[in-house]
Amino acid sequence: SEFDTKEAKLLRATAWFDYGMMMKNEKGYEFFVENALEKAIPLLDEVGDIEKKAHFYSQIGVTFLYNAQFKKSLEYQEKALSLLNQEQFKNSSVLLFVHLFTASSYLYMNESIMGKAHLDQAKKMVHPYPESINLGVYYFIESLYFTVTEKFQTAIQSADQGIAIAHEHNQQMLEQMLIFRKYNAYLELKDYIKANETLLSLIDQ
């Protein structure tokens, strides 16, 4: 804090943000959100780092998403989208994830049309890059979309594509989330044998 340079302020912003993230389980997500809004983001405003500010807003939105506060999550994803609505950010990985998280919130609210619109935006960004490690996350949300729209076999296919990518890139938690999404589709199909096998494979991991 003794240094007033742009680099110092960026490091302080990141440190405050990461500290809030580290303490989230101990002090609660309200502490993380407050820390990001009152400590980290004001420093980004001082240096004008738009993309990082959008990333912080998006991560606040993710926190609300994981706590099933979908409308609140969308509020922060919309803040991020408005910041990234510039030509210079059209290929930003932050923008990709904002579209994916926005799609996810809409889908959990059973608003499949809005969810699909953001999923399509994400697809345009990530599909030209078949080696991208972000494809696994895309397929997770795509599988969710097909589950919500009751296309359960297609949901399983999407999950399988994501599982292969996540496994290849050693993204263990994502792989497990995709396996669970596959289980959910089998459950909806009332294929309890395959649903059970899928859960058992998850337990093995």
Side-chain angles (χ1 to χ4, degrees):
S1 60
E2 295 178 14
F3 298 92
D4 199 38
T5 64
K6 179 178 180 178
E7 182 184 14
K9 288 179 179 179
L10 284 173
L11 286 169
R12 284 166 59 203
T14 304
W16 276 118
F17 184 84
D18 288 351
Y19 172 67
M21 186 75 79
M22 287 168 58
M23 300 300 290
K24 188 164 56 175
N25 289 340
E26 182 179 328
K27 295 193 175 185
Y29 73 91
E30 296 94 342
F31 173 79
F32 163 66
V33 172
E34 182 179 313
N35 208 59
L37 291 176
E38 296 182 7
K39 302 286 189 180
I41 289 176
L43 286 165
L44 295 180
D45 287 335
E46 289 184 34
V47 299
D49 194 321
I50 296 171
E51 189 173 29
K52 188 176 281 288
K53 182 178 179 180
H55 170 63
F56 285 3
Y57 274 142
S58 180
Q59 288 301 301
I60 293 170
V62 170
T63 299
F64 285 114
L65 172 64
Y66 289 164
N67 284 276
Q69 297 185 45
F70 305 123
K71 288 185 178 179
K72 198 73 176 174
S73 176
L74 286 171
E75 179 184 324
Y76 282 96
Q77 300 300 350
E78 289 295 334
K79 286 177 183 286
L81 278 174
S82 66
L83 289 171
L84 297 171
N85 188 26
Q86 301 179 40
E87 181 68 18
Q88 71 192 90
F89 301 124
K90 66 177 182 179
N91 294 316
S92 166
S93 61
V94 176
L95 179 60
L96 169 66
F97 278 96
V98 171
H99 280 304
L100 288 170
F101 294 137
T102 303
S104 188
S105 289
Y106 277 121
L107 291 171
Y108 282 121
M109 293 166 65
N110 286 314
E111 295 188 27
S112 58
I113 294 174
M114 289 297 293
K116 182 66 160 52
H118 286 278
L119 190 62
D120 287 345
Q121 289 297 317
K123 185 175 184 177
K124 288 177 187 176
M125 295 181 70
V126 75
H127 266 244
Y129 306 98
E131 300 303 315
S132 172
I133 62 171
N134 297 327
L135 262 176
V137 181
Y138 168 80
Y139 282 118
F140 177 81
I141 310 299
E142 185 182 75
S143 181
L144 173 63
Y145 167 74
F146 286 126
T147 301
V148 168
T149 54
E150 299 184 358
K151 298 174 183 175
F152 302 119
Q153 289 290 357
T154 314
I156 292 166
Q157 292 169 13
S158 292
D160 279 335
Q161 286 178 280
I163 288 166
I165 292 165
H167 187 77
E168 179 184 349
H169 292 290
N170 198 30
Q171 297 167 297
Q172 190 175 40
M173 184 178 290
L174 176 60
E175 183 179 355
Q176 291 168 354
M177 290 166 65
L178 282 153
I179 292 170
F180 196 83
R181 181 122 308 284
K182 186 176 176 180
Y183 150 76
N184 190 251
Y186 280 129
L187 194 66
E188 293 288 351
L189 288 167
K190 295 182 171 53
D191 190 339
Y192 301 121
I193 292 174
K194 286 186 177 178
N196 191 56
E197 288 173 353
T198 304
L199 275 186
L200 289 172
S201 74
L202 196 54
I203 291 169
D204 287 341
Q205 284 199 17

